[in-house]
Amino acid sequence: QVQLVESGGGSVQAGGSLTLSCLVSGSGTTISYYSVAWFRQAPGKEREGVAALGRSGATTYADSVKGRFTISKHNAKNTLYLQMDSLKPEDTAMYYCAAKLGWVEPGPIAARDYNDWGQGTQVTVSS
């Protein structure tokens, strides 16, 4: 079974940057075999797909973060990243990483496509 552990959240002023990390671990786990993504959920709102990185290397971003967020991974470190720049107060949320062994069909970033989840890391952006 795979475990996902996020880190890097915190409080930042609007316009600032944060980098989230997600360590993917488990017996024999290799992140290169997984489709991975970042989601976020603000209080009172539904979980929203933020960015996805397929096994082919293709990336998908929510319109709200395009040009500001970058998803990437380091296969040797089994780690997924989310670089967040030009942060806005509306980016405030709990951020979760998610993974699925194998392929995810291209399209909107949907929580139902991912099987494994981390516990989340809080990001707070003040104005």
Side-chain angles (χ1 to χ4, degrees), residues 30-51:
T30 303
I31 195 173
S32 59
Y33 295 153
Y34 287 79
S35 297
V36 288
W38 288 96
F39 291 78
R40 67 186 180 187
Q41 188 166 19
K45 294 188 176 181
E46 292 187 356
R47 189 167 295 193
E48 171 192 22
V50 174

Side-chain angles (χ1 to χ4, degrees), residues 19-104:
T19 300
L20 305 183
S21 300
C22 173
L23 176 64
V24 182
S25 63
S27 178
T29 297
T30 303
I31 195 173
S32 59
Y33 295 153
Y34 287 79
S35 297
V36 288
W38 288 96
F39 291 78
R40 67 186 180 187
Q41 188 166 19
K45 294 188 176 181
E46 292 187 356
R47 189 167 295 193
E48 171 192 22
V50 174
L53 177 58
R55 284 190 60 182
S56 67
T59 56
T60 305
Y61 294 94
D63 288 343
S64 58
V65 306
K66 280 181 182 177
R68 300 189 298 121
F69 289 11
T70 303
I71 187 171
S72 63
K73 65 179 179 178
H74 193 301
N75 286 340
K77 295 183 178 180
N78 268 353
T79 302
L80 174 67
Y81 303 99
L82 185 67
Q83 174 68 40
M84 304 185 295
D85 298 317
S86 302
L87 282 161
K88 304 176 181 180
E90 50 264 43
D91 295 319
T92 295
M94 186 72 78
Y95 283 71
Y96 302 88
C97 61
K100 176 186 176 180
L101 182 63
W103 302 87
V104 171

